Amino acid sequence: MVWVAIVMMLQVAWVVAAVLFLGRYYWAITVVLSLIGLSFVMYITQEWYNPAYKLAWSILILSVPILGTILYLFFGRGNTIIAERRKHRHIDEELHPLMEQPEGVAEELLRENPAVARQFSYLYRTAHYPAGRNGSTHYFSGGEEYFEELCGALNGAEHFIFLEYFIIERGYMWETILDILTEKAEKGVEVRLLYDDVGCIWLLPRNYPDFLEKRGIVCRRFNLLRPVMSAVFNNRDHRKIAVIDGHTAFCGGLNLADEYINRKERFGHWKDGGVVIRGEAVWNYTAMYLSMWNAIRHTDFDYGRYRVDFASGKQTRGERAVPGRPGYVLPYGDSPLDHECIGENVYLNILHNAKRYVYIYTPYLIIDQEMTVALELAAKSGVDIRIMTPHIPDKKLIFMLTRSYYARLLDAGVRIYEYLPGFLHTKAFVSDDELAAVGSINLDYRSLYLHFECGALLYRTEAVLELKEDFVRTMERETMEITPEFCRRRPLYERLLVSAMHLFEPLF
């Protein structure tokens, strides 16, 4: 915000100076600025970024060179500075030897479903996340149930608790969890908290980590916001992870704030979703957390002490059997530091391999050409594609952009529904009663290209059917289906505004 304000004033000052003082030098300076902007555009076109992202920055830089060039230097680069990349890569390399695939999993998956086996193989080979089996999963259709079970798991912790959330806001939900964490820390449980500094900038005081440290909770903030000094960082930690004792993990769209459990109403009824995972797959989340924690300040070297030995055959506290559907679970993370769009590729693979249906929960629908074509191709091929979005928005401009995609997708045969009671914050795909992805990853450019994100790929686990049943139940009882007539009734001012916004939507 500081830099945007400064740069906009510079652009205005240039225009004023051009009119009042520069006179005959105006065109010469304009040519120089345009050449500088053109050189940046040529550089951008050579980068790995999404083509729409390149186009948006190119238009901005060429239209207003001062504003566009400076903003690109601070916010436009698709990943953080070189030193940050090296630091994260070094931590990941330390963890790689511990991220081995359990023996026989790849062969079992290949026999059961070659398409799914390739999906799991992609995540293992590219992102070094192995699949887990012989555990259990449960899908939460609302924040209230998630909160209740999370508190129960925290109360049962005996060794360590790792929490990583984008947003934490003081209120009933957080204060309840904080009391549990304080009690556990007093009993010798290792408690760590990691939260995003920008996500909590208006919600927590700057000295909040000191307050937590006095309660025995070790706290770190991701990517501290330092006006001017930190403007180059445009990547945020959007993950929502809780790991208890290495055998239980929670993941999904829920942050730790009262609107997520409907203790506070902001945009009608808040519908969110997540999963709890028990078993050997939890190690992926433990490793993911330790990677982020040590990239901020390297303190851990013996990562293995946080790993549970499930091969010993011992029943871990909280683990339950899965009758008839042992399934496979692969928790995965996505990072803006590499050139691999893991989150989007998981979604694309689900669409490409679906045979009967794909049901999608998403709060935002701001999609690139690859995702648009994949949705259209699947629908035109006879796959039943259904998307559910909110009816009450949390951000009105983003909501307009979301609705602007409806008409094209409807023409291809995609069915779209809006959740009438309020805001839908769940991020999930489910397909063919077998495969699902649940996590923090939105269908927008920020989640897919700029943020640290996480999810869980589920194959033939109980959570897959629970997610499917929740979608169908919600669709039948609490939604309205969007029709072509609804799209044609959009006000003219909205269509004009959205047409302009489409040029810059990768920057939102």
Side-chain angles (χ1 to χ4, degrees):
M1 293 172 65
V2 173
W3 274 109
V4 169
I6 291 173
V7 174
M8 289 182 69
M9 287 189 287
L10 283 175
Q11 185 71 49
V12 172
W14 159 247
V15 174
V16 172
V19 173
L20 297 180
F21 307 114
L22 296 179
R24 58 183 175 172
Y25 302 108
Y26 170 76
W27 290 110
I29 298 174
T30 298
V31 169
V32 172
L33 290 174
S34 297
L35 289 174
I36 293 173
L38 183 60
S39 66
F40 271 94
V41 169
M42 293 175 66
Y43 167 77
I44 291 170
T45 60
Q46 301 302 313
E47 289 297 293
W48 64 273
Y49 311 144
N50 179 276
Y53 194 73
K54 296 181 185 180
L55 178 62
W57 279 112
S58 298
I59 293 172
L60 184 62
I61 291 171
L62 294 177
S63 301
V64 277
I66 295 176
L67 176 68
T69 300
I70 297 178
L71 288 182
Y72 174 75
L73 286 173
F74 289 124
F75 303 112
R77 285 173 285 177
N79 48 27
T80 56
I81 57 178
I82 294 174
E84 286 295 308
R85 289 206 304 273
R86 287 176 177 169
K87 184 166 57 176
H88 281 266
R89 187 183 302 120
H90 174 67
I91 302 299
D92 289 341
E93 288 172 353
E94 290 180 350
L95 280 161
H96 285 170
L98 299 174
M99 306 302 291
E100 68 277 3
Q101 185 88 274
E103 186 177 352
V105 166
E107 293 77 12
E108 293 167 13
L109 281 167
L110 191 61
R111 286 194 298 270
E112 290 194 26
N113 190 320
V116 172
R118 288 192 297 271
Q119 172 86 303
F120 276 69
S121 177
Y122 162 75
L123 288 171
Y124 181 57
R125 292 169 178 267
T126 307
H128 301 284
Y129 289 111
R133 59 187 171 190
N134 302 322
S136 67
T137 63
H138 173 61
Y139 174 75
F140 302 106
S141 60
E144 296 85 346
E145 184 189 3
Y146 175 99
F147 175 51
E148 181 180 353
E149 189 146 350
L150 174 61
C151 288
L154 294 173
N155 274 313
E158 297 177 348
H159 305 292
F160 67 87
I161 295 171
F162 294 161
L163 300 178
E164 180 179 351
Y165 285 87
F166 180 60
I167 290 174
I168 296 174
E169 183 177 8
R170 288 175 293 182
Y172 175 79
M173 184 181 192
W174 172 240
E175 296 301 331
T176 302
I177 291 174
L178 181 58
D179 288 342
I180 298 173
L181 299 180
T182 303
E183 180 184 348
K184 287 298 172 180
E186 290 174 351
K187 293 180 179 179
V189 175
E190 181 182 356
V191 181
R192 300 187 189 184
L193 174 65
L194 173 62
Y195 66 85
D196 186 87
D197 199 42
V198 168
C200 300
I201 190 68
W202 307 116
L203 306 176
L204 297 176
R206 301 298 288 173
N207 64 346
Y208 201 65
D210 297 331
F211 166 78
L212 294 174
E213 296 277 351
K214 293 176 182 177
R215 290 181 167 229
I217 300 167
V218 185
C219 178
R220 291 181 187 170
R221 290 174 289 172
F222 173 83
N223 209 349
L224 270 69
L225 178 66
R226 299 186 181 98
V228 180
M229 294 301 294
S230 68
V232 71
F233 299 125
N234 196 27
N235 309 113
R236 307 315 315 175
D237 183 0
H238 194 244
R239 295 171 177 170
K240 294 92 174 169
I241 301 172
V243 180
I244 295 92
D245 288 345
H247 60 65
T248 301
F250 292 77
C251 171
L254 292 107
N255 288 296
L256 305 182
D258 283 356
E259 64 261 32
Y260 293 86
I261 57 173
N262 289 291
R263 279 265 175 169
K264 178 174 70 175
E265 183 173 317
R266 294 184 63 201
F267 312 105
H269 185 271
W270 191 289
K271 180 173 176 58
D272 220 320
V275 289
V276 59
I277 297 167
R278 296 179 172 90
E280 62 186 12
V282 172
W283 168 243
N284 288 16
Y285 282 126
T286 309
M288 201 183 306
Y289 185 92
L290 291 169
S291 175
M292 184 68 79
W293 182 271
N294 285 283
I296 297 172
R297 190 186 311 152
H298 201 323
T299 57
D300 294 302
F301 295 93
D302 181 13
Y303 299 110
R305 70 191 183 97
Y306 295 104
R307 186 172 191 175
V308 177
D309 181 15
F310 288 92
S312 65
K314 296 177 181 178
Q315 282 291 105
T316 303
R317 181 171 182 157
E319 187 183 2
R320 66 177 188 270
V322 188
R325 292 180 72 90
Y328 301 85
V329 183
L330 198 160
Y332 59 92
D334 196 1
S335 166
L337 304 181
D338 54 27
H339 296 172
E340 195 75 26
C341 300
I342 297 291
E344 183 173 37
N345 289 339
V346 168
Y347 291 158
L348 290 173
N349 280 334
I350 292 175
L351 289 167
H352 291 325
N353 293 313
K355 298 180 178 64
R356 295 185 290 114
Y357 76 84
V358 179
Y359 297 159
I360 301 169
Y361 276 133
T362 182
Y364 315 114
L365 189 65
I366 305 175
I367 47 180
D368 59 15
Q369 184 67 8
E370 290 91 336
M371 184 62 66
T372 303
V373 170
L375 289 165
E376 292 176 328
L377 180 60
K380 290 177 180 178
S381 301
V383 179
D384 181 10
I385 306 294
R386 305 190 187 196
I387 303 174
M388 193 180 301
T389 62
H391 184 68
I392 299 177
D394 65 337
K395 305 175 184 69
K396 290 187 178 179
L397 290 178
I398 302 300
F399 187 56
M400 289 182 186
L401 278 174
T402 290
R403 283 184 160 181
S404 70
Y405 283 92
Y406 288 177
R408 177 175 174 179
L409 294 175
L410 289 174
D411 287 343
V414 177
R415 299 179 69 178
I416 301 173
Y417 302 81
E418 286 188 354
Y419 176 69
L420 293 174
F423 186 65
L424 172 71
H425 194 246
T426 309
K427 310 98 163 42
F429 277 49
V430 61
S431 174
D432 296 344
D433 292 356
E434 288 191 333
L435 192 64
V438 182
S440 65
I441 307 170
N442 295 314
L443 284 178
D444 63 16
Y445 285 85
R446 284 208 156 270
S447 268
L448 298 176
Y449 295 101
L450 294 177
H451 287 169
F452 290 87
E453 302 280 2
C454 66
L457 186 63
L458 313 171
Y459 177 62
R460 290 186 175 174
T461 72
E462 64 272 37
V464 174
L465 295 181
E466 291 167 348
L467 170 57
K468 187 261 184 101
E469 291 165 3
D470 177 63
F471 187 97
V472 172
R473 181 173 58 251
T474 304
M475 178 187 66
E476 292 174 347
R477 300 177 183 177
E478 300 179 291
T479 67
M480 72 172 186
E481 185 168 4
I482 303 300
T483 64
E485 290 74 24
F486 176 88
C487 298
R488 287 193 287 268
R489 290 198 302 267
R490 290 170 57 214
L492 179 61
Y493 80 87
E494 182 178 321
R495 297 185 188 188
L496 295 174
L497 178 60
V498 166
S499 296
M501 290 169 63
H502 271 302
L503 293 173
F504 303 104
E505 64 185 10
L507 311 185
F508 282 91

